[in-house]
Amino acid sequence: MPALRDGDFTISDSTAIITYLDAIHPEPNLIPTEPKARARTIWYEEYGDTIVAACSGAIFFNRVVSPKFFGRPGDLAAADEAQRPSSHG
């Protein structure tokens, strides 16, 4: 999870960070101001946070991290399940 420290203020989560940055530095806009573009931007960011991160995390941990860094086999069935489109919406 990303985090940002700005002086004595610390915040985590990409949505919170980008919202904070957009508020303290409004030019140039990081999040579009046009309503449809703004909605699409927030949707893509949320999709990345929830669906993509969950699927890729299970795949990466079980295929790379567990065997290469922990020296034990990953749960390949869990990695396979995370790769199936039906498993994540």
Side-chain angles (χ1 to χ4, degrees):
M1 175 182 291
L4 172 78
R5 179 169 297 197
D6 185 21
D8 64 350
F9 178 70
T10 303
I11 190 74
S12 62
D13 182 72
S14 54
T15 304
I17 292 167
I18 201 76
T19 302
Y20 174 75
L21 291 173
D22 229 15
I24 64 169
H25 300 290
E27 294 296 327
N29 296 102
L30 299 173
I31 303 171
T33 57
E34 190 277 318
K36 290 178 183 175
R38 185 177 189 87
R40 276 190 215 98
T41 299
I42 292 168
W43 183 88
Y44 279 118
E45 194 278 331
E46 182 61 24
Y47 181 78
D49 268 0
T50 56
I51 304 301
V52 175
C55 296
S56 61
I59 294 166
F60 185 70
F61 181 83
N62 287 299
R63 295 194 191 281
V64 178
V65 175
S66 189
K68 297 205 184 302
F69 296 97
F70 296 136
R72 56 180 197 244
D75 183 346
L76 298 182
D80 289 344
E81 183 61 26
Q83 268 181 261
R84 286 191 194 88
S86 61
S87 70
H88 39 81

